[in-house]
Amino acid sequence: MNILVCISKAPDTTSKIAFKDGNTKFDETGVQYIVNPYDEWYALVRALELKESNGGNVTIITVGTAADEAVIRKALAIGADDAVRIDVNPVDAFEVASQIASYAKENNYDLILTGKETIDFNGSQVGSMIAESLDLPYVALASKLDLNGQTLRLEQEISGGIQVLEVNYPAVVSCAKGMAEQRIPNMRGIMAARTKPLKVVPAYASETYTSFESFSLPEAKKAVKLIDPNNMDELVSLLHNEAKVI
Amino acid sequence: MSILVYISGEHAGAKASHEAVTYAKKLGSDVVVVASGNSSDLADLGTYGASKVLVDANVSDADSRQITALVAKAVEATGADTIIFSHDLISKAVAPRLSVRLKAGLVSGAVALPEGDKIKVNVFSGKAFGYVTVKTAKKIIALLPNSISPEATGSACPVENFDAGTGNAAVKVVDKKIPEGEVPLPEAEVVVSAGRGLKGPENWGMVEELAKLLGAATACSRPVADIGWRPHHEHVGQTGLAIRPNLYIAIGISGAIQHLAGVNGSKTIVVINTDPEAPFFKAADYGVVGDAFEVVPKLIEAVKKFKG
Ligand SMILES: Cc1cc2nc3c(=O)[nH]c(=O)nc-3n(C[C@H](O)[C@H](O)[C@H](O)COP(=O)(O)OP(=O)(O)OC[C@H]3O[C@@H](n4cnc5c(N)ncnc54)[C@H](O)[C@@H]3O)c2cc1C
C-alpha cells in the first residue's frame, strides 16, 4: 500500500505568539518549528504501522520553502521512506491542497493522510480540499483506521460517542487523537534520515482564495479575584450576579 | 444578499445550528437552509430567520461528496453568494470540498460577523485572532460554536423536499454509539474540567456531580486522557478540543500554555488549585486556592442551595 502523508511545519507549542509589521505577520523571532503534532503523532505513525503490517511505501509531502527541510528530516527520522517538498511558500489552505493534489495526480497513492488541523491556523481544510480535487472519498478527524482488504474501517468521535465508518480506498483521511501513539526517533532513524531521498518539485500553477490581512491578541485578563475556600456561596453568587454565567 | 446555511437534520435542534441560522440572518435578508436528513426540528429554524428549508432525506451525513453535491445544487437553485456552516465534524469534511467545487474562499473558525470585508477567526489554537478576506465572488464561512447568541424572533418556516440526486454514499456508517443524556462538549455553555491534581479516575464522581448540577459537560487535561483516566474526547487544549463556553471550571489543572490555548476563549474561568503559583490563576477570573477534595464538595453544596 502506497501512502502519502501531508506534513506541515508548526510553531512549537510553547512559542510566544506575537505579530510584527503592524500586526500583519507572525513574528518568528525565537520561534522553533516542529512537525505539526497531528501530522506527526497520528497520520505519520499510523501510516508507518500500516506499512509495517501490509508492506508498501510511506512518502511525506510538504508545501514549503527550503527552510522547512529540518522539519522534513524529523519526519524521515521517525520512519518515512522518502519525502517531497513542493517549492512554494503557500498563502492559503487551497494553495497547499491544490499543490499536493497536482503531485498526487501524477503519482498514484492508495491512501492520503493529513493531521486533523495545524495548530497555528486550525483550518481543518487541506485534506478535504485534496479529496475534492482528486474526486476521492474523505473522512475527517478519524480516531481509528484499520485495513480490511480493499476497505478502510474508521472511527470518528461524535458528540461524546463513536461512529464506525467503512469506505473503499483510495481515499483521503484526516487523523485525530486515538489513531496511534507518538514515536520518538532513535539515533539510527536520525542517521538514516540524512540520506533518505528528498525530492524538490517546482510549484504547480495554482490560485489562492483567501488571505490573512492582520492579527490580534486577546485582551489581557483582569487580575483574578480570589475567593475563600470556605465560602463557596460567595463564588456561586459572583457567578450568578457578577459574571451572569449560571 | 441571499444566504444559504447547511444544517444536518440530526443536529437541527442543536444550539450550534440555531447560531448558524442567526448569523446568516444578520448577514442578509433572505436565508435558506439546506439540510441532509429529515427531522421535525427543521421547520423551527424559521424561528431563527430561515425563510424555508430544502431537505434531501437520502443524503448521508457521513459522505462529504454527497453533502457537497447537495449544497452545490442548493446554491445553484437559490443563487446564494454566501454559504454558512457550523464549524463541526460534518462541516470540516464538507466546507473545504465545497470551496474547491464552487471556487469560493472558505473562512473557517469564524468567531464574529464580518467587519467590512474582514472576518475574524480563531488562530494559534485560541491564542490569537486573525482577520481574513476572501478574494472570490462567493464565500463560505464556518462559524465556531458559542460565537454568537441564537435569536428566536420569527416563526416556523416551510420545509420542502429537494432531491439533489446525489446517488449512493461511498462512506457507510456501520455502527454508531452515542451515550444518552450527556452534554456534548463543543457546544456546552458550562464546562467542568479536571486534571492530574485529582490523583486518579476514581475521584471523578464529584466532577460529574458538579457538572450534572450545572447542566455542564465534563472535560480534562491531556495527561488525564493519555493515562486513560478519562476518554480522549474530553481532552481540551492545543492538541485537543478548543472550546469557548460561558463558564469553564478548572479543577487540579496547572494551566500549561498548551492547555490554556484550548480554553482561553471561555467567557469566565474559575480555577481551583492547591498551588497559589499555578499559572492558571493568571488566566482566571475567579480563583480558589485550596484542596479540590475539600473545595469541590463545598461548591456542590453551594450550587445545590442556589438551585433550591
Ligand atoms: C506538544 C504538546 C501539546 C500539548 N497539548 C496539550 C493539550 O492539548 N491539553 C493539555 O491539557 N495539555 C497539553 N499538553 C501538556 C501540558 O504541557 C501539561 O503537561 C498538562 O496540561 C498538565 O496537565 P495537568 O494540569 O492536569 O497536570 P499537572 O501539570 O500535573 O498539574 C496538576 C495540578 O493540580 C494541582 N493539584 C494537585 N493536587 C491538587 C488538589 N488536591 N486539589 C487541587 N489542585 C491540586 C497542582 O497544583 C497542579 O497545578 C501538551 C504538551 C505538549 C508538549
Side-chain angles (χ1 to χ4, degrees), chain A residues 82-102:
Chain A
D82 51 13
V84 175
R85 176 172 70 80
I86 305 181
D87 196 22
V88 178
N89 192 6
V91 169
D92 68 355
F94 178 68
E95 189 171 27
V96 173
S98 31
Q99 295 290 332
I100 295 176
S102 300

Side-chain angles (χ1 to χ4, degrees), chain B residues 97-131:
Chain B
R97 282 203 98 111
L98 189 69
S99 166
V100 174
R101 178 138 347 164
L102 301 179
K103 298 192 190 310
L106 165 61
V107 181
S108 49
V111 294
L113 286 161
E115 295 161 40
D117 59 351
K118 294 194 185 71
I119 303 170
K120 184 176 181 181
V121 301
N122 241 8
V123 289
F124 293 98
S125 308
K127 289 177 197 164
F129 300 110
Y131 300 83

Side-chain angles (χ1 to χ4, degrees), chain A residues 13 41, chain B residues 195-197 199 221-223 235-240 252-256 258-259 272-275 278 290-293:
Chain A
T13 55
W41 301 349
Chain B
R196 211 145 52 173
K199 315 272 187 304
S221 66
R222 177 174 155 216
H235 160 196
V236 292
Q238 185 148 22
T239 52
I253 302 177
S254 57
Q258 297 94 351
H259 184 86
I272 300 171
N273 198 306
T274 40
D275 177 7
D291 186 340
F293 296 98

Side-chain angles (χ1 to χ4, degrees), chain A residues 1-244:
Chain A
M1 161 168 253
N2 287 330
I3 308 176
L4 184 66
V5 181
C6 308
I7 298 280
S8 173
K9 67 169 181 189
D12 174 24
T13 55
T14 55
S15 306
K16 183 173 183 290
I17 305 302
F19 301 98
K20 59 176 189 183
D21 298 351
N23 284 328
T24 57
K25 286 203 185 77
F26 177 53
D27 185 352
E28 295 182 309
T29 317
V31 169
Q32 192 79 31
Y33 279 96
I34 57 170
V35 184
N36 181 49
Y38 296 109
D39 308 351
E40 178 191 326
W41 301 349
Y42 309 128
L44 176 57
V45 176
R46 189 65 193 131
L48 295 172
E49 290 170 353
L50 288 173
K51 179 198 151 178
E52 284 153 12
S53 47
N54 303 284
N57 193 80
V58 175
T59 300
I60 54 168
I61 187 164
T62 196
V63 179
T65 63
D68 300 344
E69 291 191 2
V71 166
I72 299 175
R73 292 288 172 203
K74 165 102 193 279
L76 287 171
I78 295 170
D81 297 296
D82 51 13
V84 175
R85 176 172 70 80
I86 305 181
D87 196 22
V88 178
N89 192 6
V91 169
D92 68 355
F94 178 68
E95 189 171 27
V96 173
S98 31
Q99 295 290 332
I100 295 176
S102 300
Y103 181 81
K105 236 176 241 167
E106 299 168 355
N107 301 269
N108 281 325
Y109 293 98
D110 301 301
L111 192 56
I112 300 178
L113 301 181
T114 71
K116 93 165 195 193
E117 62 186 39
T118 56
I119 59 171
D120 46 6
F121 290 102
N122 310 104
S124 237
Q125 300 185 7
V126 169
S128 168
M129 287 178 165
I130 294 173
E132 179 66 17
S133 306
L134 301 174
D135 194 24
L136 290 176
Y138 175 67
V139 173
L141 276 64
S143 53
K144 248 191 193 144
L145 187 169
D146 287 304
L147 206 56
N148 182 5
Q150 194 60 34
T151 304
L152 302 175
R153 195 180 166 87
L154 300 138
E155 284 188 15
Q156 276 178 325
E157 284 178 354
I158 45 161
S159 316
I162 298 269
Q163 169 162 285
V164 184
L165 304 173
E166 280 183 356
V167 61
N168 288 350
Y169 64 82
V172 184
V173 175
S174 84
C175 305
K177 186 165 187 160
M179 189 171 276
E181 297 288 333
Q182 185 180 3
R183 283 190 188 178
I184 311 292
N186 57 25
M187 211 48 212
R188 227 180 70 212
I190 295 169
M191 297 303 287
R194 293 190 185 157
T195 53
K196 283 183 180 170
L198 192 173
K199 184 161 80 176
V200 179
V201 177
Y204 297 88
S206 73
E207 290 171 79
T208 64
Y209 289 169
T210 59
S211 68
F212 276 88
E213 303 298 330
S214 62
F215 299 91
S216 69
L217 293 169
E219 277 171 43
K221 278 259 175 190
K222 284 191 302 249
V224 58
K225 207 176 249 184
L226 287 180
I227 290 133
D228 180 349
N230 290 311
N231 194 354
M232 286 301 99
D233 288 334
E234 188 194 349
L235 177 59
V236 169
S237 143
L238 285 168
L239 291 176
H240 181 64
N241 298 314
E242 188 177 80
K244 300 191 170 36

Side-chain angles (χ1 to χ4, degrees), chain B residues 147-159:
Chain B
S147 295
I148 67 165
S149 306
E151 289 174 19
T153 49
S155 53
C157 67
V159 177

Side-chain angles (χ1 to χ4, degrees), chain B:
Chain B
M1 227 179 1
S2 169
I3 319 274
L4 188 70
V5 186
Y6 165 76
I7 301 284
S8 148
E10 200 174 315
H11 301 155
K15 184 167 153 266
S17 300
H18 301 161
E19 290 167 1
V21 178
T22 303
Y23 186 90
K25 187 65 194 170
K26 289 183 183 287
L27 279 180
S29 47
D30 189 32
V31 175
V32 174
V33 168
V34 58
S36 55
N38 219 336
S39 142
S40 55
D41 290 324
L42 285 171
D44 196 37
L45 294 173
T47 328
Y48 300 92
S51 65
K52 67 177 171 192
V53 177
L54 305 173
V55 59
D56 187 335
N58 297 318
V59 169
S60 159
D61 278 355
D63 194 298
S64 56
R65 269 191 300 199
Q66 277 195 322
I67 303 179
T68 303
L70 166 65
V71 180
K73 194 127 196 201
V75 168
E76 210 182 286
T78 56
D81 50 19
T82 305
I83 304 103
I84 308 294
F85 288 83
S86 177
H87 193 46
D88 60 11
L89 184 63
I90 300 176
S91 108
K92 285 173 186 173
V94 175
R97 282 203 98 111
L98 189 69
S99 166
V100 174
R101 178 138 347 164
L102 301 179
K103 298 192 190 310
L106 165 61
V107 181
S108 49
V111 294
L113 286 161
E115 295 161 40
D117 59 351
K118 294 194 185 71
I119 303 170
K120 184 176 181 181
V121 301
N122 241 8
V123 289
F124 293 98
S125 308
K127 289 177 197 164
F129 300 110
Y131 300 83
V132 184
T133 53
V134 176
K135 303 172 188 168
T136 51
K138 286 191 171 61
K139 58 174 171 283
I140 306 174
I141 304 174
L143 178 70
L144 266 194
N146 278 345
S147 295
I148 67 165
S149 306
E151 289 174 19
T153 49
S155 53
C157 67
V159 177
E160 296 170 11
N161 280 324
F162 183 75
D163 184 0
T166 59
N168 292 328
V171 182
K172 299 205 165 58
V173 181
V174 292
D175 199 8
K176 206 170 185 171
K177 299 178 203 108
I178 302 182
E180 288 288 319
E182 270 184 35
V183 181
L185 184 53
E187 55 187 66
E189 293 191 28
V190 180
V191 173
V192 180
S193 186
R196 211 145 52 173
L198 283 205
K199 315 272 187 304
E202 66 281 6
N203 297 325
W204 249 262
M206 60 183 186
V207 175
E208 281 167 355
E209 187 181 353
L210 180 60
K212 199 157 176 212
L213 279 169
L214 293 169
T218 48
C220 69
S221 66
R222 177 174 155 216
V224 161
D226 280 351
I227 356 173
W229 291 359
R230 298 298 294 173
H232 284 317
H233 69 254
E234 286 196 359
H235 160 196
V236 292
Q238 185 148 22
T239 52
L241 208 58
I243 53 171
R244 39 209 335 266
N246 288 338
L247 173 59
Y248 184 75
I249 303 180
I251 305 166
I253 302 177
S254 57
I257 185 165
Q258 297 94 351
H259 184 86
L260 295 181
V263 303
N264 60 8
S266 310
K267 195 170 151 228
T268 300
I269 295 179
V270 174
V271 169
I272 300 171
N273 198 306
T274 40
D275 177 7
E277 302 297 320
F280 220 145
F281 284 117
K282 289 205 174 68
D285 300 283
Y286 303 104
V288 184
V289 178
D291 186 340
F293 296 98
E294 290 164 19
V295 174
V296 176
K298 283 184 189 144
L299 179 55
I300 288 173
E301 285 319 304
V303 173
K304 277 186 183 155
K305 207 158 81 190
F306 164 74
K307 297 257 171 187

